[in-house]
Structures are given as structure tokens and as C-alpha cells.
Amino acid sequence: MTKIKHAFAVCALLALAACATATPYQPAATGKGYGFSEQKIEENRYRITFRGNSSTTREMVENSLLYRAAELSIINGYDHFIMVENDTEAKTTYSTTTEPAFFGRYAYGYPGYYYAFPYYAYGWGWGAPYDSYTREITRYSAVAFVTMHKGAKPSDNPQAFDAREVMENLRPLVLGPVPAGS
């Protein structure tokens, strides 16, 4: 394989891998608006949002939102927070294409194109419905209104969370495993 073809293949694989990566825990201003954002409403009250891309599960979006609420509580000098109101929304769209899904282009005798089994190549399709496909794309967004407080969390309120405990328990799920020796 020539160096140019090799470089092209590596770039294509990296682009494909980037599309299949869940939204990392990051401010939403980074990239395409996926990640967390917050708005201070009152001294101890915030609206917090986490938006995920199509590779981010509902659970990951909700965990990231809880983690951000805990992190924001600690940053502002509070010990616990109460989820006053929260909601998770799923937005589903559909994308239809008439291109073959994977096998690339094929032109008999034309140099530079990858050789693919001709039935999967342009001009050699299986016919409808195999020449087109529809992909379902779901993106989750979660929003919560939280109040932040000092002292021990009230034990009689199921919407109250200890900020340090939430961060400790959700850190591996949101930020990934902590490397050994850290």
C-alpha cells in the first residue's frame, strides 16, 4: 500500500472513530454544543443542562448532569444539592441515504478505487431496498433546576444529594477510570 493510500485509510478510520465517541464531560461551548452548561438563577439556585451526541446514552447524559450539579455545589462552597425539578428529553431524527453503507466505490478497471465485491459497489447494487437505508439518530438532553445548601443533606428528602459522595461515585462513569498510580 502506498503512503498516500495508507495515510488516507488512517484518516478515514480516525474520522469514523470520532463519530462513534460519546460526548465527553466538557463545557458545551467546546465543539458542537454538546456537554454541560449552567445558568445561575439565584444565589444558590442553578439551571444545569447536559446535551449528548448520538453516541451518548441516556444514562451517561443523566450521570453527567448529576456530576455537574455536585461539582458546581463544591465549587460554590456548598455540601449538598436538591434536585427541585429535572427532565430528560430524547430527540430522534432519521437519515436516509442511497449510498452503499461501507464498501466504497468500485469502477471496473479504474485505477485508484478500492476493489470491492461488485454486488456491493456503485452500479452493481442488489436493488431496492438494499440500495438505500434509513438510520435512526437519537440524542439525549437533560435539564435540572437545583438548589445548593451547606451542612448535611436532609435524610427525609429523596431529591437531596451529598455533593462529595455523588462526585466520588459517578467520577469513574463520567470521567472514565482513574489511571493506576494517580
Side-chain angles (χ1 to χ4, degrees):
M1 184 183 269
T2 67
K3 288 183 181 183
I4 293 174
K5 286 182 182 179
H6 183 55
F8 177 74
V10 168
C11 288
L13 286 173
L14 288 174
L16 186 61
C19 293
T21 303
T23 301
Y25 184 77
Q26 65 183 10
T30 306
K32 296 184 179 185
Y34 299 122
F36 64 81
S37 61
E38 68 270 336
Q39 180 180 14
K40 187 174 185 176
I41 298 170
E42 293 177 342
E43 183 60 34
N44 71 330
R45 185 182 300 263
Y46 282 80
R47 176 178 46 221
I48 304 170
T49 305
F50 192 92
R51 291 184 53 224
N53 64 18
S54 61
S55 296
T56 310
T57 65
R58 178 185 180 119
E59 180 180 21
M60 181 67 177
V61 166
E62 291 173 347
N63 284 341
S64 296
L65 178 87
L66 273 170
Y67 189 86
R68 183 59 184 163
E71 185 177 58
L72 204 53
S73 296
I74 299 299
I75 288 170
N76 288 302
Y78 295 103
D79 301 309
H80 71 276
F81 63 95
I82 298 173
M83 296 283 252
V84 178
E85 183 180 339
N86 64 311
D87 186 34
T88 303
E89 177 183 278
K91 181 180 179 184
T92 302
T93 57
Y94 299 91
S95 174
T96 301
T97 183
T98 57
E99 303 288 329
F102 175 77
F103 289 95
R105 298 174 184 220
Y106 176 85
Y108 184 75
Y110 188 80
Y113 280 30
Y114 294 107
Y115 180 80
F117 187 67
Y119 294 111
Y120 296 108
Y122 291 122
W124 296 88
W126 288 94
Y130 301 106
D131 285 340
S132 67
Y133 65 96
T134 300
R135 189 178 102 174
E136 183 178 296
I137 302 165
T138 302
R139 292 180 177 91
Y140 294 99
S141 295
V143 63
F145 290 88
V146 300
T147 58
M148 300 169 188
H149 307 274
K150 294 185 180 193
K153 75 171 186 170
S155 59
D156 61 340
N157 187 346
Q159 296 299 99
F161 297 86
D162 181 289
R164 284 176 180 75
E165 195 172 331
V166 168
M167 287 183 71
E168 182 180 325
N169 291 330
L170 294 183
R171 182 176 286 117
L173 300 173
V174 173
L175 302 178
V178 178
S182 294

